[in-house]
Amino acid sequence: MTQVSEIRISDYTYDLPEERIAVYPLSERDQSRLLVWRGGAITETLFSQADRMVPAGSLLVFNNTRVIHARLIFHTTTGARIEIFCLEPHDPTDYNLSFQSTTPIEWKCLVGNARKWKRGALTMEVPTGQEMVTLQAEMTGRSGNAFLIRFTWDRNVSFATLIEAAGEMPIPPYLNREAEAIDDDRYQTTYARIDGSVAAPTAGLHFTEEVLQKMKSHHIATAELTLHVGAGTFQPVKSERVAEHDMHTETVYVTREFLNQLMLHEGRVIAVGTTSVRSLESLYWLGAALSESPESSGIPDTPSNELPFHVGQWQPYTSAPDLSPAESMGCLLKWMEEHHASRIAFTTSIIIVPGYRFRMISGMFTNFHQPRSTLLLLIAAFLGPGWREVYDYALHHGFRFLSYGDSNLYLK
């Protein structure tokens, strides 16, 4: 923690002109530019040629989360506009159960213009297929900075169906525009399958079926995990000292098959996106916790597929296990076998900053990130001081920035 306590966020900023932020996606996903950093050397190509940049025998790890229509716009009886931004399920807490539910549920939400919502339920009429559904939202309490909102509706449809029809795509605030029809398709990866995110894992937005097929033909393997991206991904580091920043928490799911694939893979592991980086590195620390003390690791000794594992923000900086990635994955697999679990569900608030030693990955695809963000700190942790050279190169060579911007591939 000593080194971390000395990190100042003002050392991890840069001047990002507004005109360099990509407000809309390119007409074709894989026509974005790709900056390649390989051991300090910078080159560039088009993303459609990404397969030529990835070493044969690598394993690409994708985050298959799907962005939900998290922004719900209601109006009070006096006409005031109330925006309810769904963050994560509260009752039930399980994403699948919440989305499949046809009965009342509660979510943690941000509420825009909350002072205008005096009392009672808000309602809206939602067209779903052949019928109109009346959706109601009612405040039931608070949870930290969020409100607890109870949703009820009057037809036998799932909440997943309802929110897809009623809500809007939660595009990033720095785009400074309302969501449009194009965002329903382009602010979603082509391989998105599992509902739950309120922000896209944007490194994956460049991948097309053609690119994935070319990866396969070049003997590059793929694997999928799920991390539901929260609104905290846009939260800037407001404190000068990084040690004083409270990292947001996100939910991750991995299967036994995925862990087996990781454990047996002998080549490079390349994460597609910072969410995959955080998930993979968090997995290492889960395995390390089991290795050090199975009884006191915080993992309950009961058979279940939904277990409250957690990786703390500073856990990697307060312990130093002498464990290989394969050994760590082996510990998790052994525990799963003993407890008859087919997958692990866990939360992580891990923060990756300069000084962190990566255990699981030797490369990553990612986009360009905002100044003074935890995502930029993660990039600096991987590239070292070279992160400035990468960003200076991109700024001086016309690259497009942020969610709809161009891509990077970093290889150690």
Side-chain angles (χ1 to χ4, degrees):
M1 285 291 289
T2 302
Q3 187 176 5
V4 172
S5 66
E6 296 171 355
I7 296 175
R8 296 180 179 273
I9 194 61
S10 56
D11 293 330
Y12 298 90
T13 189
Y14 64 95
D15 182 25
L16 176 58
E18 188 173 343
E19 63 270 18
R20 302 304 295 278
I21 298 174
V23 179
Y24 288 94
L26 296 177
S27 58
E28 300 293 336
R29 290 177 184 266
D30 61 7
Q31 291 307 297
S32 59
R33 295 165 70 186
L34 176 64
L35 184 152
V36 181
W37 181 95
R38 191 188 301 262
I42 297 174
T43 57
E44 61 173 283
T45 184
L46 289 179
F47 198 87
S48 58
Q49 306 301 311
D51 59 294
R52 300 181 180 181
M53 303 295 109
V54 177
S58 296
L59 173 66
L60 295 184
V61 177
F62 294 87
N63 180 6
N64 62 15
T65 188
R66 185 175 181 275
V67 184
I68 63 172
H69 284 194
R71 297 178 67 234
L72 299 168
I73 309 301
F74 289 84
H75 291 87
T76 66
T77 54
T78 60
R81 184 179 189 271
I82 309 294
E83 177 180 322
I84 297 177
F85 191 103
C86 297
L87 295 176
E88 61 184 64
H90 178 70
D91 184 19
T93 57
D94 178 79
Y95 280 86
N96 288 336
L97 293 178
S98 182
F99 285 123
Q100 292 169 7
S101 179
T102 57
T103 57
I105 56 174
E106 279 190 344
W107 273 62
K108 294 179 183 178
C109 303
L110 300 177
V111 178
N113 209 17
R115 60 187 177 84
K116 294 288 188 179
W117 185 2
K118 301 298 184 183
R119 63 179 67 86
L122 301 174
T123 64
M124 76 161 78
E125 296 300 312
V126 183
T128 59
Q130 299 292 319
E131 57 186 355
M132 192 70 72
V133 179
T134 300
L135 172 65
Q136 288 193 331
E138 186 176 6
M139 281 189 192
T140 60
R142 297 292 295 266
S143 177
N145 295 326
F147 292 88
L148 297 180
I149 305 296
R150 179 178 173 85
F151 293 107
T152 58
W153 54 99
D154 63 352
R155 293 289 186 271
N156 186 35
V157 298
S158 69
F159 186 63
T161 298
L162 195 57
I163 197 172
E164 189 75 10
E168 297 179 3
M169 185 65 84
I171 60 174
Y174 49 66
L175 297 185
N176 291 317
R177 63 174 176 84
E178 293 295 314
E180 301 177 24
I182 190 174
D183 300 307
D184 283 341
D185 174 53
R186 297 300 301 277
Y187 196 61
Q188 200 83 267
T189 64
T190 58
Y191 49 83
R193 295 191 298 109
I194 312 297
D195 285 345
S197 281
V198 300
T202 55
L205 296 181
H206 310 275
F207 282 86
T208 61
E209 280 300 320
E210 290 77 13
V211 170
L212 290 171
Q213 283 300 317
K214 287 198 291 185
M215 292 284 185
K216 184 177 180 180
S217 68
H218 282 75
H219 307 288
I220 297 163
T222 61
E224 293 183 1
L225 52 75
T226 306
L227 179 145
H228 291 316
V229 189
T233 191
F234 299 121
Q235 181 181 352
V237 180
K238 296 179 179 179
S239 55
E240 172 60 13
R241 293 184 180 274
V242 172
E244 297 170 2
H245 178 74
D246 290 327
M247 192 68 175
H248 59 285
T249 299
E250 291 168 316
T251 303
V252 186
Y253 302 87
V254 293
T255 63
R256 183 184 299 183
E257 292 74 19
F258 174 82
L259 292 176
N260 263 315
Q261 191 175 2
L262 267 185
M263 185 176 69
L264 297 175
H265 183 72
E266 296 181 351
R268 289 175 177 267
V269 174
I270 298 175
V272 178
T274 56
T275 60
S276 295
V277 173
R278 294 181 69 237
S279 299
L280 287 165
E281 295 298 317
S282 295
L283 277 174
Y284 176 86
W285 294 102
L286 284 180
L290 275 175
S291 171
E292 291 176 346
S293 181
E295 292 78 19
S296 61
S297 63
I299 301 175
D301 190 21
T302 54
S304 172
N305 284 344
E306 300 294 335
L307 299 171
F309 297 13
H310 181 69
V311 177
Q313 176 170 341
W314 303 112
Q315 186 175 335
Y317 307 92
T318 56
S319 62
D322 184 21
L323 212 64
S324 71
E327 289 170 335
S328 180
M329 298 306 99
C331 290
L332 287 170
L333 284 164
K334 180 182 178 183
W335 192 93
M336 292 178 75
E337 183 177 350
E338 291 173 348
H339 294 77
H340 311 291
S342 61
R343 69 171 182 170
I344 294 177
F346 69 95
T347 56
T348 180
S349 58
I350 189 175
I351 185 169
I352 297 177
V353 300
Y356 179 86
R357 181 165 70 86
F358 289 86
R359 264 72 174 192
M360 299 294 294
I361 70 163
S362 56
M364 74 174 84
F365 281 97
T366 188
N367 283 16
F368 294 100
H369 303 292
Q370 289 180 292
R372 303 178 68 93
S373 65
T374 57
L375 302 179
L376 186 58
L377 287 169
L378 185 153
I379 300 308
F382 190 82
L383 298 181
W387 78 267
R388 284 198 177 275
E389 296 176 20
V390 167
Y391 275 65
D392 285 346
Y393 181 95
L395 287 167
H396 286 94
H397 289 80
F399 279 73
R400 303 163 75 245
F401 277 62
L402 306 187
S403 295
Y404 278 143
D406 292 316
S407 183
N408 298 266
L409 172 60
Y410 305 144
L411 295 169
K412 285 291 182 79

